[in-house]
Amino acid sequence: MAEFSIIDTYFNRRNACSADLGVGDDSALLTPPPQQQLAICADTLVAGRHFPLETDPHAIGWKSVAVNLSDIAAMGAKPHSILLALSLPQIDHDWLKGFSQGLHDCCDQFGVSLIGGDTTQSPHLTITVTALGWIEAGKAVTRSGAQPGDLVCVSGTVGDAAFGLQHLGHPLQKRLDYPTPRCLLGQQLKGLASSMIDVSDGLAQDLGHILDASGVGAVLHLEKLPIDPEAAKLEQEKQWHLALAGGDDYELCFTISSQNYQKLLQQQLDVNLTIIGEITQNLGLTFLQNGVNCSIQFQGYQHFA
Ligand code: ADP
Ligand code: MG
């Protein structure tokens, strides 16, 4: 089966397309809505590095889309469509069937469509998804707007995916394999949050990016970290380590004034929020345990480390 037949069988869904022109021509065509900026990002998943080779292909398909929609959400943008660049060592129809189904399932869940891509043969299974979204010009929530006095908040629970990785077969493995991009929350935070990032490399490291970009510091209250009841059965130190250094949660971490936080709570939210700290003028990240300084060692995920 040739490249075109793979595209046609697994990736061209003629009906559901959010673009003016999708899969099948030299480029896809989109009409930018008036006064909107394009938010665009890409993420690569490499077999054996980002997921074990034997991972369920459906989960790989889901996650390759979800991690990108999470980046679009973290800007406050509305996801619109994706492109898929796929490098395959060989043609494995069972794998392609599961993978494409997972990818389309995630697209359908969040109202985006696959509008193009590239398919090549290569010794390594590599998946690069590019996601596109729209946001009113000038309204994107960046990493650089945190102000002293702002609250530091996080959605959902953190450390679940890392717990799932350490306990394969446990129900929390679902959080590792099928992350939920916080697409609605991201858009609700537009105009309210002062800065935002999605938690992919561990909360402490990702919050650190906000602090660096904003030229501020933060205090975090360890006892407030939102931890899943299953992970909360571990000893305290381990829980905090997972919550602060575990990657792959794809929750949103944001800073917001208390006034805007009250406005946010007036909206219908589809995920719990937790206030975990405050932004300070003093640089660096300080950990408090019930108000008392606490030094805790952690490291987030770093490529090439
Ligand atoms: P070209 O040679 O003009 O670059 P291709 O032969 O690579 O075009 O692709 C043909 C069409 O199929 C294009 O519209 C392209 O966007 C689309 N396409 C290729 N691979 C994929 C894929 N994995 N998923 C979705 N669309 C794809
Ligand atoms: Mg061409």
Side-chain angles (χ1 to χ4, degrees):
M1 190 188 250
E3 169 198 347
F4 300 110
S5 171
I6 295 176
I7 298 168
D8 215 49
T9 307
Y10 298 107
F11 300 116
N12 191 359
R13 296 199 305 173
R14 289 145 197 86
N15 42 358
C17 184
S18 55
D20 302 341
L21 184 62
V23 172
D25 221 303
D26 289 312
S27 300
L29 294 175
L30 305 181
T31 303
Q35 311 298 318
Q36 306 262 317
Q37 274 177 307
L38 175 65
I40 181 166
C41 62
D43 240 316
T44 296
L45 298 182
V46 179
R49 168 132 278 246
H50 297 99
F51 56 86
L53 285 165
E54 61 277 11
T55 307
D56 180 357
H58 186 276
I60 299 169
W62 174 282
K63 190 165 178 174
S64 65
V65 178
V67 300
N68 279 283
L69 298 188
S70 177
D71 281 325
I72 295 288
M75 303 302 290
K78 184 178 190 324
H80 178 271
S81 43
I82 62 160
L83 295 148
L84 168 67
L86 188 58
S87 296
L88 299 167
Q90 75 271 322
I91 296 173
D92 175 341
H93 287 287
D94 285 340
W95 190 90
L96 277 164
K97 195 166 173 229
F99 171 79
S100 58
Q101 193 59 55
L103 178 134
H104 293 309
D105 284 349
C106 189
C107 284
D108 291 347
Q109 174 97 31
F110 297 98
V112 311
S113 52
L114 176 61
I115 61 168
D118 195 25
T119 306
T120 53
Q121 206 264 332
S122 127
H124 263 95
L125 170 60
T126 307
I127 304 149
T128 300
V129 170
T130 302
L132 296 82
W134 301 114
I135 182 149
E136 288 94 318
K139 287 284 163 64
V141 186
T142 65
R143 297 178 180 184
S144 60
Q147 298 283 334
D150 283 350
L151 306 172
V152 179
C153 304
V154 69
S155 64
T157 48
V158 279
D160 301 14
F163 181 94
L165 185 62
Q166 288 175 9
H167 301 83
L168 294 176
H170 187 279
L172 276 182
Q173 192 189 336
K174 191 137 195 290
R175 290 271 289 151
L176 174 70
D177 291 341
Y178 289 93
T180 306
R182 300 303 181 187
C183 294
L184 179 63
L185 177 64
Q187 293 170 72
Q188 289 172 320
L189 283 165
K190 174 185 57 184
L192 295 178
S194 53
S195 71
M196 176 150 58
I197 193 167
D198 69 322
V199 181
S200 53
D201 296 334
L203 179 62
Q205 181 168 313
D206 289 324
L207 175 58
H209 293 313
I210 285 187
L211 304 183
D212 290 344
S214 301
V216 294
V219 293
L220 278 197
H221 306 282
L222 293 172
E223 73 281 0
K224 292 191 180 160
L225 289 170
I227 292 169
D228 182 276
E230 285 295 314
K233 291 175 184 165
L234 296 173
E235 60 184 88
Q236 193 73 87
E237 282 275 322
K238 281 194 184 146
Q239 291 177 38
W240 289 341
H241 196 272
L242 285 178
L244 292 169
D248 264 5
D249 284 318
Y250 300 98
E251 295 297 341
L252 291 176
C253 174
F254 57 94
T255 62
I256 189 167
S257 67
S258 10
Q259 210 178 4
N260 283 352
Y261 190 72
Q262 291 312 316
K263 284 191 200 160
L264 179 64
L265 294 186
Q266 284 159 25
Q267 303 183 49
Q268 188 82 39
L269 304 173
D270 66 354
V271 60
N272 281 329
L273 301 179
T274 309
I275 300 172
I276 55 171
E278 301 88 39
I279 295 295
T280 58
Q281 208 147 15
N282 282 346
L283 300 182
L285 189 51
T286 306
F287 299 105
L288 298 182
Q289 181 182 356
N290 300 313
V292 179
N293 255 297
C294 175
S295 68
I296 176 169
Q297 296 298 317
F298 63 84
Q299 179 140 42
Y301 185 76
Q302 265 187 306
H303 297 270
F304 308 111

